[in-house]
Amino acid sequence: MNPGDRVRVDRADRTYEGVLLPSSTDDHLVVKLEGGYNVGVDRDGADVELLEEDVYEIDGDTAGEEGSVSEIEFDDDLPTISLISTGGTIASTVDYRTGAVTAQFDAEDVLRAVPDLAGRANYRGRVVANILSENMEPPLWQDLARAVSEEIEAGADGVVVMHGTDTMQYSASALAFMLETPVPIVFTGSQRSADRPSSDNVMNAVSAVEAAKSDCAEVLVCMHGSESDDVCALHRGTRVRKNHTSRRDAFETVGAEPLGEVEYETEAVTFRREYQQRGETDLELRDALESDVELLKFTPGMDPAFLDVVEGSAGLVIEGTGLGHVHTDLIPRIEELIEDGTTVVMTSQCIEGRVCDRVYDTGRDLLEAGVVEAGDTLPGTAKVKLMWALEHSDNVEEAMGTSLAGEIQERSVPWE
């Protein structure tokens, strides 16, 4: 009896029927029920009947190891989608000893846990990392970009990256700058773990695969588009922001409606605006990053000594107030940093709108000090972009003011 088998478990006058999942302890069986719940059953005293063996054929005995690759085939006529796992709630399980959710699933486990993925594509599974997304770091972005590039070179028609939601927008931005892609690269995750009946993991995973089969060859984020199970929104990776801690529709495109959407019932993928078409560009990987870049949020009363921490850094992104301002007492210290070689970029704390430091005296003083404006680039995206631009651009100021991967909108008009 192995994970992926369909079983019936009888214990203490109760019967559970479903798909056997990997368990975090040898003392418990974990069964995914038809209704969506995962249930843990004490092995002691349990009578287990095997109903169906090898429901989904999964090859490879290195599953779960970072760098491992496996292939799962259903139909030679279907497109090939690479499922790349980095961890997170969509790839999590419950430790029934403690009740804690831990990132343990690899790509094959996700296929077992989401049977709805079967028959939609031929799948290649690959594990790049097995972490919670708060532990994501720039070197892992580079590992991920290289893995995606290798999968595309190997013939993948699309790539789905399973990622924790907390830092997904940073990773999506990083890949958008590091990769020119001829196929869709779709990030997806889950706000609620698979053991909860309100889990969004199945719908998000299925919709992400459908998006990865589409003609939009960009880096996208695919997550619930409403509180209901009706549609998943497709956000451009450089314009998306997680705006709620726990709602299933936590992700929003800032300053506009989502680029597209996937209707869950009909599986129709549609787009609202122009996008890069599949096959329009050749694959190119430019993954060098300058990691010595910080993001600092200005607040009233901030001690100028806070800027001493970034002395000698290659880059600094500031979240200023309004149009891109800080206290005037900070400007001399910022100018010193710039004179010493730190590239300082200004963004806004406002959710929408672009910086413009030519309106007020403070902004003009910042420009005279050498601060670079980033338009309406989101602060987190600006940090990732600056890390990339410092390694790849001869004119960083020009690069930060130019939209390279859809990160700067032509006009900051909400919901246009």
Side-chain angles (χ1 to χ4, degrees):
M1 187 173 57
N2 300 300
D5 294 343
R6 186 172 297 281
V7 297
R8 180 183 294 117
V9 180
D10 294 302
R11 188 181 186 279
D13 298 326
R14 289 197 163 213
T15 299
Y16 307 96
E17 185 173 324
V19 177
L20 187 66
L21 300 180
S23 175
S24 57
T25 169
D26 292 336
D27 297 328
H28 294 83
L29 297 166
V30 182
V31 179
K32 172 172 282 298
L33 306 179
E34 294 295 333
Y37 278 106
N38 289 359
V39 62
V41 182
D42 196 327
R43 287 179 183 268
D44 187 25
D47 183 19
V48 184
E49 179 184 356
L50 178 63
L51 300 179
E52 187 176 357
E53 202 172 38
D54 295 329
V55 176
Y56 303 104
E57 183 179 354
I58 298 172
D59 297 325
D61 57 7
T62 59
E65 297 180 8
E66 294 184 11
S68 63
V69 180
S70 61
E71 189 166 346
I72 306 165
E73 295 186 1
F74 295 93
D75 188 331
D76 291 339
D77 295 327
L78 292 174
T80 297
I81 302 297
S82 290
L83 301 178
I84 297 182
S85 176
T86 66
T89 304
I90 196 169
S92 67
T93 186
V94 175
D95 186 334
Y96 286 94
R97 296 168 298 174
T98 66
V101 177
T102 57
Q104 293 188 15
F105 281 8
D106 55 33
E108 289 85 353
D109 294 320
V110 172
L111 285 174
R112 291 190 185 100
V114 187
D116 298 56
L117 290 176
R120 298 174 183 273
N122 300 319
Y123 296 105
R124 286 173 51 85
R126 181 164 182 163
V127 179
V128 171
N130 196 9
I131 61 172
L132 298 173
S133 73
E134 57 264 33
N135 296 327
M136 184 60 67
E137 296 180 348
L140 284 175
W141 293 339
Q142 294 172 307
D143 291 343
L144 180 57
R146 293 163 191 158
V148 170
S149 178
E150 290 170 3
E151 291 298 308
I152 296 172
E153 285 184 339
D157 298 300
V159 178
V160 172
V161 178
M162 293 170 288
H163 195 291
T165 60
D166 283 358
T167 62
M168 186 187 295
Q169 63 206 56
Y170 293 91
S171 298
S173 291
L175 263 65
F177 293 118
M178 289 192 284
L179 283 166
E180 290 287 341
T181 177
V183 304
I185 301 170
V186 185
F187 280 74
T188 194
S190 178
Q191 284 285 86
R192 299 175 186 175
S193 55
D195 64 307
R196 300 176 62 180
S198 62
S199 177
D200 49 343
N201 70 328
V202 172
M203 178 171 161
N204 290 350
V206 167
S207 297
V209 167
E210 292 302 322
K213 292 158 57 179
S214 76
D215 288 330
C216 180
E218 296 192 21
V219 178
L220 304 172
V221 169
C222 177
M223 295 290 291
H224 259 57
S226 72
E227 292 185 88
S228 300
D229 291 327
D230 53 354
V231 63
C232 272
L234 298 176
H235 309 278
R236 186 166 272 143
T238 54
R239 292 298 307 176
V240 68
R241 188 177 190 271
K242 184 177 180 179
N243 283 341
H244 198 280
T245 58
S246 58
R247 281 175 54 138
R248 299 191 301 174
D249 58 342
F251 284 77
E252 297 178 8
T253 293
V254 177
E257 290 191 58
L259 180 63
E261 62 185 25
V262 181
E263 292 282 350
Y264 187 46
E265 185 174 345
T266 65
E267 301 175 1
V269 183
T270 58
F271 294 92
R272 293 183 174 88
R273 296 185 296 281
E274 292 184 0
Y275 54 85
Q276 180 173 286
Q277 295 275 343
R278 177 186 290 272
E280 275 189 358
T281 185
D282 294 330
L283 176 66
E284 183 179 3
L285 173 66
R286 301 175 68 190
D287 61 346
L289 294 174
E290 171 53 72
S291 61
D292 191 14
V293 173
E294 299 297 337
L295 173 60
L296 178 66
K297 186 170 188 172
F298 165 73
T299 57
M302 177 178 288
D303 189 332
F306 271 99
L307 293 170
D308 294 343
V309 176
V310 297
E311 184 175 0
S313 295
L316 170 65
V317 175
I318 298 176
E319 280 191 53
T321 59
L323 291 168
H325 299 150
V326 299
H327 196 292
T328 54
D329 289 350
L330 295 178
I331 296 177
R333 186 69 182 100
I334 291 173
E335 186 171 14
E336 291 177 0
L337 291 173
I338 294 171
E339 289 175 350
D340 290 340
T342 300
T343 300
V344 179
V345 174
M346 182 62 69
T347 63
S348 177
Q349 297 173 16
C350 298
I351 300 300
E352 297 184 17
R354 65 187 64 240
V355 296
C356 182
D357 284 320
R358 294 168 178 80
V359 178
Y360 298 103
D361 288 343
T362 299
R364 292 177 181 274
D365 292 342
L366 285 165
L367 290 177
E368 289 180 6
V371 170
V372 176
E373 293 180 314
D376 68 343
T377 307
L378 305 182
T381 300
K383 175 181 177 176
V384 176
K385 181 179 180 179
L386 182 56
M387 296 170 72
W388 184 88
L390 286 168
E391 288 289 340
H392 297 281
S393 177
D394 295 330
N395 189 331
V396 175
E397 179 176 359
E398 181 180 347
M400 295 305 297
T402 303
S403 185
L404 305 178
E407 71 279 7
I408 299 177
Q409 299 181 117
E410 291 186 9
R411 299 173 60 208
S412 296
V413 178
W415 307 111
E416 178 171 288

